[in-house]
Amino acid sequence: STDLTSTVGYDSIIQHLNDGRKNCKEFEDFLKERAIIEEKYGKELINLSKKKPCGQMELNTLKRSLDVFKQQIDNVGQGHIQLAQTLREEAKKMEDFREKQKLHRKKIELIMEAIHKNRNLQYKKTMEVTQMCCCFLPCGAIGDAIQPLLHFLVSPVFWQLFLKLAQTKSALEDTDRSYQQSVTTMEKIREEWQNEHIKACEFFETQECERINYFRNALWLHVNQLSLGCVQNDEKYEEIRKSLEMCSIEKDVDFFVNLRKTGSLAPAPVVYENYYNAQRNVTPAKSPVPVPISRRGPLPTPTSAPGEPDYATVDGYSLV
């Protein structure tokens, strides 16, 4: 500003820096809130995998797949809790960066406040001396005008006026010297203020560049952390898919049959015997011949009911 005592430009810079600090604080709070959500979600997943039954009566390969499924859900929950901790650490880094910039900027602001105060005081003092000089100028002009008549006037009143004029002229000269000193001092203070102002602006610009760069990198890192969490979750889900590929319908059915089987022979045929008339039993009863149980036919391939989504086929079997 052309006004020497104006701080409108400096105040605008400080306001912008404070707004940038506020933006960093908002992102910091965002990370903290996201950490709370991730931690709560992770704990809920862990509780779900541990406390909620999910096919606990299944046997053999499908049971193993379900065990892997629950274990990986637990791992996903642990991953979300770990992500929450990572987000809190990033929020703390943002807070430390923000406070560090605040402390550094505070030193510059104190210097600028002091030099502004000194500049304004000197400017006020210089203006006061200037006004005094303006008031004395008419007196000096009058003295110069009547000075040729002094040798013609010898009355006591004249000598009193002459003495007062001499005192006024001396005061005028003192005021003029004071005015010159004030202007010289003011100019030195102005140059010092201008140099400090330039240094402060350069420092604030450097801080703003650092803040934008740090903010951008923090946001980039946050997105990468979320992407990494998704990749890790997909790896855990891939373990579930691999386990399901190992699930065999025929093996599970055979496993159940072998586990619960009661024998391989069917009951013998029932033969009639006449206990009332023994002579009628002409043909001796033949020994019962065990009838082996015929092996069941091939297992049907599960198919989707009308209106239901199709399922992927693995090894000739339909799996979800």
Side-chain angles (χ1 to χ4, degrees):
S1 175
T2 55
D3 183 2
L4 183 59
T5 60
S6 175
T7 59
V8 60
Y10 177 81
D11 294 339
S12 178
I13 294 175
I14 295 300
Q15 181 62 44
H16 178 72
L17 295 176
N18 289 335
D19 291 341
R21 182 170 177 268
K22 181 180 179 182
N23 293 335
C24 291
K25 181 65 167 62
E26 290 176 352
F27 181 65
E28 173 190 329
D29 293 339
F30 178 88
L31 291 178
K32 291 179 180 178
E33 291 294 329
R34 179 63 187 267
I36 293 174
I37 295 173
E38 290 291 340
E39 183 177 40
K40 182 179 179 181
Y41 181 58
K43 290 181 177 179
E44 291 293 337
L45 284 179
I46 293 174
N47 291 335
L48 178 65
S49 65
K50 290 182 177 180
K51 297 180 180 180
K52 190 67 175 178
C54 183
Q56 61 182 352
M57 304 305 295
E58 287 293 345
L59 303 172
N60 207 30
T61 61
L62 182 56
K63 177 176 176 57
R64 288 195 293 270
S65 295
L66 289 172
D67 290 341
V68 173
F69 166 73
K70 295 191 69 176
Q71 180 60 47
Q72 294 303 326
I73 293 298
D74 183 276
N75 292 341
V76 170
Q78 296 290 352
H80 281 282
I81 293 177
Q82 181 60 40
L83 177 59
Q85 181 61 28
T86 301
L87 295 179
R88 289 192 178 95
E89 293 173 358
E90 292 302 320
K92 186 62 172 61
K93 292 179 181 178
M94 177 63 75
E95 180 182 3
D96 294 341
F97 172 79
R98 182 169 51 83
E99 291 300 321
K100 181 180 178 181
Q101 277 208 331
K102 178 184 177 182
L103 292 176
H104 289 174
R105 188 166 67 246
K106 190 64 176 178
K107 298 177 182 178
I108 303 299
E109 290 180 10
L110 291 176
I111 294 175
M112 293 302 296
E113 288 176 4
I115 201 168
H116 284 164
K117 183 177 180 180
N118 187 27
R119 179 199 62 184
N120 294 341
L121 289 175
Q122 184 61 35
Y123 181 81
K124 182 179 179 181
K125 181 178 179 181
T126 302
M127 291 299 100
E128 291 175 352
V129 174
T130 303
Q131 291 177 359
M132 291 179 62
C133 288
C134 293
C135 293
F136 280 125
L137 282 176
C139 297
I142 293 173
D144 293 338
I146 66 174
Q147 195 169 10
L149 303 176
L150 289 180
H151 61 281
F152 296 107
L153 301 176
V154 293
S155 66
V157 176
F158 171 77
W159 287 109
Q160 292 177 359
L161 293 175
F162 179 78
L163 180 60
K164 186 175 181 180
L165 178 61
Q167 293 174 347
T168 301
K169 187 175 182 180
S170 176
L172 176 61
E173 293 174 351
D174 293 341
T175 303
D176 185 65
R177 285 194 297 269
S178 177
Y179 171 63
Q180 290 180 4
Q181 292 175 357
S182 296
V183 170
T184 302
T185 304
M186 184 67 212
E187 180 59 19
K188 290 181 180 179
I189 292 177
R190 187 197 66 80
E191 291 179 356
E192 180 185 2
W193 160 76
Q194 182 169 306
N195 293 333
E196 290 297 331
H197 184 80
I198 293 174
K199 292 179 182 179
C201 288
E202 291 174 349
F203 175 81
F204 293 151
E205 182 178 2
T206 300
Q207 270 208 333
E208 180 66 3
C209 293
E210 290 177 353
R211 186 192 67 82
I212 295 174
N213 183 64
Y214 191 90
F215 200 158
R216 181 191 64 177
N217 292 344
L219 189 58
W220 192 299
L221 178 62
H222 175 61
V223 175
N224 285 347
Q225 290 167 346
L226 297 180
S227 297
L228 178 61
C230 293
V231 172
Q232 292 175 343
N233 288 345
D234 188 67
E235 291 175 353
K236 296 177 179 66
Y237 299 143
E238 181 63 22
E239 292 297 322
I240 298 174
R241 289 189 286 267
K242 290 180 180 179
S243 176
L244 290 174
E245 289 178 352
M246 301 301 295
C247 178
S248 170
I249 299 174
E250 184 173 353
K251 288 181 179 179
D252 285 1
V253 174
D254 288 342
F255 180 84
F256 170 75
V257 171
N258 293 328
L259 181 65
R260 303 299 184 189
K261 66 183 179 180
T262 56
S264 60
L265 298 177
V270 179
V271 179
Y272 170 76
E273 295 184 11
N274 190 338
Y275 296 97
Y276 176 74
N277 186 357
Q279 294 181 355
R280 296 184 60 181
N281 295 332
V282 178
T283 305
K286 298 181 180 179
S287 299
V289 178
V291 179
I293 300 175
S294 60
R295 183 66 174 93
R296 63 187 184 279
L299 294 174
T301 301
T303 58
S304 303
E308 293 183 356
D310 293 333
Y311 298 104
T313 301
V314 179
D315 294 337
Y317 297 108
S318 177
L319 297 177
V320 176

